[in-house]
Structure formats: structure tokens, C-alpha cells
Amino acid sequence: MEKKLFNFVTLSFVTLLLMFTACRKQETPFQYNVDKFYDLEILRYDVPEFDALTLQQKQLVYCLSEAALWGRDILFDQNGRYNLRIRRACEALYLNYPYDTDNEEFAAFERYLKRVWFSNGIHHHYSEDKFLPEFSQKWFETACADAGVQYDAAILPVMFDPAVMPKRTTAQNGVDLVANSAGNYYGEGMTQKEAEAWYDAHKDNSPEPLWIGLNSQLVKNAEGKVEERVYKVGGLYGEALEKVVYWLREALRYAENDQQREVINKLIAFNETGDLQLFNEYCIAWVKDLDSRVDFVNGFTETYSDPLGITGTWESMVNFKDLVATKRAQLISDNAQWFEDNSPTAKKFKKEEVKGVSAKVITAAILAGDCYPATPIGINLPNANWIRKTYGSKSVTIDNLMHAYNEAAKGNGFNEEFMIDDEIREIYSKYGALCGDLHTDLHECVGHGSGKLMPGVTKDALKEHASTIEEARADLFGLYYLADPKLVELGLLPNEEAYKAGYYQQLMNGLMTQLVRIEPGKDIEEAHMRDRQLIAKWVYDHADGELEIIERDGKHYLQINDYEGVRRLFGELLAEIQRITSEGDYAAAKNMVETYAVKVGPALHKEILERYAELHLAPYKGFVNPVYKVTRDKQGAITDVKLDFTEGYIDQHLRYSRDYSPLPDVN
Ligand code: ZN
């Protein structure tokens, strides 16, 4: 899922299905499920270990969380120039509706407003199509009049006419991308040609270039000339950036070290001046800050929403290092040589000296802007290639959000529908999440780095099948070792049964349940999906009673009879996949992929789709944030920070709109 320079791993329907249910011990039950409407589900995430941070770290997280929340209006306006007016009119009506709310039109209106909040505007956050109200324009106008709500009449066609601003960002071939996108990265009347001409004229071709256009809107002035309106204090979105800067300054007082202080200082200076040289310096300082426990992103970052892919969309995420999970990944990485030496691959394909990769795992503490309510599950920044090359980048996974998805999926009926019996469901609910984490760690920290190529064999020898084979190799490495007593010995798994949860899930997914993402009649295209089916189908085909698919009342289920036997088969396949990779055996790779990874059995596929549809699961998820509660002394200094996890979806958005809404209607 990598797009261009920067890759916030997006979580959609697709990724969610990989996670399913799992279990984490909670003393008091934590409410993960918050709300559900249309194709959206709202979840809550826990922030474990927040209480264990030092007071200074808590103060820092708090100030950065305020800096995050103050940017919310920016995203609404970037997503469309009428969005703030529409949101405000709807919120005013919602709060002042003078009649009984127990009727279908008001319910439809409430759903619409919830959707506007979710999308930070009037276009679906994922498809980017405009969604239409299910209440009439007449109802809206009358209700507003009765409630005394004033609004700009220009919002009516924008809300109700399907032909007006139908798409947020269009990627359609042959049309003017700027003129046909509702996003507000370009002023009214701007064309793609004019925007491109401006960018061409201002492009920086130096070796350490400025990202011209990252922080600005292009508009036509009174004389019809293209002009840049820069996002900065005193410029476009200045009212919001002023607040962001205020809280970054507060955060400075609690910074953990000089490097982090430099990061914050550079970001303040950039927001104040809009000077892109300062942005580069900020990115470099940020990449170098590896020691701080607390870290954050705050600013104009992703460029997918600009139809020309240049201007950054505002977002923020504050986080801190998850020490337990980071240690777990480190432990696996430290044992990389042992894993290499003991793998079932042929000796000549092993590396004499292998180094593990260490991964950083973080806990999100606040999500804002384009990270809220829908959010990525990983961060890989900065975007500028030359900075990545010279100074490196930071890549992290966000554990507490993954846990929330897992927890929220409990009881959604998925495992009840697709797992064969209570015994496996119980093992899965105990160890599924842990196995998932460990499998990912083994895959990333040691799997990809294991093995070597024979002299003369190049990385691209397997051509179009290279990524499927490579992902299968890393997955198999992880699966083989998931069942190894070494993991129990290292304290990573509690007993020698736990791995069964991971084995069952992996095979059920590869043979059956991942098919819910494939449309009827289509082949499997995506490399990770191919890799999973390849492994599962190969093992199924080579099994001699170790596993079977049985039918019960017209439904099919996976049954594993001999887990150790399955592990042996994983080992055999790993040895063969390693051989194919090491020797660059293209013909064998092609045959392997074509035989096991691509085709879908239509009857089973149809059955799985029908069973899945019956569950009525929402394909897209988003979150509510915790509420930060601070205690201050008489001088106003923060003496304690506590998190509250009880706020609902509607209350949170109404509060944000009331307390963090500095921008005017028209910017
Ligand atoms: Zn991989």
C-alpha cells in the first residue's frame, strides 16, 4: 500500500479483515464500540501506559494534543470551501431544533451530520464521492427557519444537488483535475493548466529542494494572475495556526531533550513564516530525534487529496513509544542469527551473518486532522526523498489502534460464522492477537532479511512474481517459527499451544475468508493476498490428513487435525520458496504462483461472500479520542493529566466545534 513518497498505511475494509478478533486483558471492561452508521463504525482506543509516563511526558503529550485539535477546521476547509459553513449550519440546527426529534427526517439529518464529521466534509472519506442528505431541502430550510439558524444560501445546492461538486479529488483521465475536484487546494476558476504552469515556473531543482506548493493555495487575483496564498500565521488559516503555535510553545517547556526542542522550534518557525527551508530543517531534526519517548506529527503532510499531488493536507498524531512491544520486536531481532541457523532451508541458501531489523511500535495518544476519525495504522515519514536518502526516515506501527480494531471485532459474529468450533475460538480469543503481533515481528524483523541469493542471481530474477514469492517467504519464516519452542523459551509465547491460534487464522484466511475482498469472478491480484492463498492452498494440497475442509449444513469450515504436521509442511514450503528465491528460478516461481495463488474457486467464493454479507459489518472504521483532563495549580502550571474514555461520538464533535473552531466561514 505504498503511495508516492509517503506512506501512511491506510486502514480500510481490506486491512480490517486481516485482524479479526483477539483479546487483551482489561481489568474493567473498556468500551471499544461506540457508534455505527452507514458503512462506518466508530471505535474507541485505549492509551495503555499513559499513566506510567513521567509528569513531564504527560504535560508534553497534553500540549501537543491541544496543538493537534486546533487544526481541525483547516482540514474541513481544505476538503471543500463550503464545508465549514455546512458543518456550522448543521450543528446549529442540531443544537436548536425546536421540535420533537423522534422522527425519520431528523434521524436522517443526524446521520448526515455524523457523516460530515467523519469525512471532515461532504464527500466520503474513502470513495471521495459526495454523499447526499436523506432529508429534503425543504425540510432543512423550514427547520432552520423555525430554529432561527442563519446560513449562507450558497450551501444548499452544494448539499442537495448531486451535480454540484460531485467528487472531492478526481483522478479521471482527460478531465481538468483542478476544475473538477471539489477540494479547496485551488481557488475558484483555477484550471489545471494554470496551476501546473505556476508550479513549473517556481520549481526548485536544487539537490536539496524546497517543496514548493506544500503549504499554499493557488488562486487567481483580481487581474486574473495566479497567486500563492501561504498557510501561515497571518496568512491563510492563520487563526488556526496561531493556536497551534501557542500550544507548540507550551510544549517546548516540557520537551524531553535538546533534539526534540529543536524539532518543536523549527515547526513553530515554519508555521510562523511559511518558509519551506525551515520545513526541511524541521523534517531533518524530526528524523534525528530517536531518543524521545514522546513523538508527534503536526502539519501539512499527505498530498493525495491535492489533485496535482503537491499541497499537504493538515493532520496530526501524538504518540509515545510502546516499550513492551518495541522490546518484543528487539528480542526477535537480537536472535536473528539463531533463527537463520535453525531454519529448514538448505545450508547453502543461509546467510553466514544476518542482522535483524528493529521496529518501533508506538501508542497513539491523540488523532487529528486527516488522521481523525479514520486513521492510518502506521507512519512512514518524511515525504521528501532526498531527506529520506540522506537522513533516513521513521517507520512505526501503532499498536493500540490495532488492538482497538481487534477488540471491537470481538462478538461481531465473524469467528462464530467462520471458525469451526468453540475450542479454536477459545484458543484464538486468548492468543490470536499475540500470535498476530509475533508473526508480524518475525516477518518484518527476521523473515525478509533471512537467506541469500546465489552468485549471479539478482533481486528481480522472479520478475512479476517477485513480491508474492518474497512475501510468502517472510510469512513462512514467521509461521515456521511461531510454533518453535524457542518463542516460549524467550518468553514471547506463554505455552506450546498458543501458536495454534496463529496457524488456524492464517490458513482459514488464506483458504477462505480473505475472499470476501474479491469481487465475484475476479482473480486475486494483490501480492500479500496471493502470498496467503499460495501458502494455504499449497499446504492444503500437500496435506495427508493434517488439515481438511469439511462441510456442515451446506457451509464449509477448515479443520486442522495435526498442527505439528502443518508446521512440517510450512517448513517444506519455506525450503522450496527459499530455493526458488536463492536460485532465481523464475519458471518455478511462475508455476507456484499460477497454481496456488491466483485463481478462486467460484462456489466456495460465493458461499463466503453470502455468509459475510449476513454479518452486516461496517467496512470503514474511525475513532473517538480520549478526553484530556488537566489539573493546574494556583499559578496555572499543569500538575496532573488524566485521560477520560467516556465521551461519545456526537458529544466529541460538538465539543471540538465549540472549543476548537478558530477559522472564519470563508477563508
Ligand atoms: Zn513483507
Side-chain angles (χ1 to χ4, degrees), residues 443-444 448 471 474 528:
H443 176 120
E444 300 292 348
H448 279 306
E471 290 309 319
H528 292 85

Side-chain angles (χ1 to χ4, degrees), residues 112-216:
Y112 178 78
L113 178 54
K114 288 194 324 193
R115 219 178 191 186
V116 168
W117 286 328
F118 192 95
S119 302
N120 295 284
I122 56 166
H123 297 87
H124 191 280
H125 76 289
Y126 192 79
S127 75
E128 307 202 39
D129 293 326
K130 183 165 89 176
F131 45 83
L132 292 168
E134 292 171 288
F135 49 92
S136 67
Q137 181 172 331
K138 189 165 180 298
W139 179 88
F140 182 76
E141 289 178 75
T142 310
C144 283
D146 293 349
V149 171
Q150 309 274 329
Y151 59 89
D152 179 351
I155 67 173
L156 293 172
V158 179
M159 284 172 72
F160 292 97
D161 184 344
V164 176
M165 296 186 157
K167 195 90 183 168
R168 189 173 73 192
T169 313
T170 191
Q172 208 187 315
N173 266 340
V175 306
D176 184 315
L177 299 178
V178 166
N180 287 284
S181 294
N184 196 18
Y185 297 91
Y186 303 91
E188 262 169 301
M190 281 286 298
T191 65
Q192 181 176 351
K193 233 174 125 183
E194 289 165 332
E196 284 173 344
W198 192 92
Y199 287 132
D200 277 348
H202 292 81
K203 202 172 162 62
D204 182 356
N205 291 312
S206 65
E208 300 188 352
L210 305 180
W211 194 303
I212 304 291
L214 175 76
N215 61 335
S216 64

Side-chain angles (χ1 to χ4, degrees), residues 50-63 65 254 627-632 638-644:
F50 182 81
D51 291 337
L53 294 178
T54 64
L55 176 60
Q56 188 190 335
Q57 288 165 337
K58 288 180 194 172
Q59 290 161 328
L60 176 62
V61 170
Y62 169 70
C63 295
S65 77
Y254 308 111
V627 183
Y628 281 74
K629 305 220 151 156
V630 296
T631 317
R632 292 177 187 271
I638 298 166
T639 55
D640 197 13
V641 185
K642 288 237 177 301
L643 299 188
D644 179 280

Side-chain angles (χ1 to χ4, degrees), residues 95-353:
L95 291 168
N96 297 293
Y97 186 67
Y99 310 117
D100 185 10
T101 56
D102 189 13
N103 59 72
E104 184 37 46
E105 286 208 289
F106 188 84
F109 167 65
E110 185 182 85
R111 283 199 301 274
Y112 178 78
L113 178 54
K114 288 194 324 193
R115 219 178 191 186
V116 168
W117 286 328
F118 192 95
S119 302
N120 295 284
I122 56 166
H123 297 87
H124 191 280
H125 76 289
Y126 192 79
S127 75
E128 307 202 39
D129 293 326
K130 183 165 89 176
F131 45 83
L132 292 168
E134 292 171 288
F135 49 92
S136 67
Q137 181 172 331
K138 189 165 180 298
W139 179 88
F140 182 76
E141 289 178 75
T142 310
C144 283
D146 293 349
V149 171
Q150 309 274 329
Y151 59 89
D152 179 351
I155 67 173
L156 293 172
V158 179
M159 284 172 72
F160 292 97
D161 184 344
V164 176
M165 296 186 157
K167 195 90 183 168
R168 189 173 73 192
T169 313
T170 191
Q172 208 187 315
N173 266 340
V175 306
D176 184 315
L177 299 178
V178 166
N180 287 284
S181 294
N184 196 18
Y185 297 91
Y186 303 91
E188 262 169 301
M190 281 286 298
T191 65
Q192 181 176 351
K193 233 174 125 183
E194 289 165 332
E196 284 173 344
W198 192 92
Y199 287 132
D200 277 348
H202 292 81
K203 202 172 162 62
D204 182 356
N205 291 312
S206 65
E208 300 188 352
L210 305 180
W211 194 303
I212 304 291
L214 175 76
N215 61 335
S216 64
Q217 182 194 43
L218 293 184
V219 295
K220 264 196 256 190
N221 65 17
E223 291 86 54
K225 273 191 72 183
V226 175
E227 213 175 65
E228 193 185 28
R229 296 178 72 207
V230 177
Y231 306 150
K232 62 173 188 174
V233 173
L236 185 52
Y237 304 143
E239 300 89 340
L241 294 172
E242 221 168 84
K243 297 286 189 183
V244 170
V245 164
Y246 171 87
W247 282 103
L248 288 175
R249 241 188 215 113
E250 289 291 296
L252 264 185
R253 300 160 51 175
Y254 308 111
E256 293 177 82
N257 51 55
D258 286 345
Q259 186 62 39
Q260 191 173 52
R261 219 163 279 128
E262 180 171 331
V263 173
I264 299 173
N265 269 321
K266 294 285 183 198
L267 184 58
I268 290 171
F270 170 63
N271 277 317
E272 286 181 330
T273 61
D275 179 351
L276 290 162
Q277 178 57 36
L278 289 167
F279 181 74
N280 284 349
E281 290 170 18
Y282 152 73
C283 289
I284 292 165
W286 182 79
V287 168
K288 286 185 182 165
D289 179 17
L290 296 170
D291 296 332
S292 305
R293 175 103 192 252
V294 177
D295 203 356
F296 72 104
V297 175
N298 182 310
F300 302 96
T301 310
E302 290 277 24
T303 59
Y304 313 135
S305 294
D306 170 1
L308 302 182
I310 289 169
T311 305
T313 303
W314 198 89
E315 69 180 31
S316 184
M317 178 184 292
V318 183
N319 62 77
F320 56 89
K321 228 179 262 176
D322 178 339
L323 299 180
V324 176
T326 301
K327 215 176 125 195
R328 181 190 68 210
Q330 190 59 47
L331 190 56
I332 286 173
S333 169
D334 291 345
N335 283 280
Q337 193 65 54
W338 187 91
F339 289 118
E340 183 74 354
D341 295 344
N342 290 280
S343 90
T345 57
K347 191 154 185 293
K348 61 179 170 179
F349 302 140
K350 289 183 200 286
K351 272 192 182 129
E352 291 78 24
E353 234 180 288

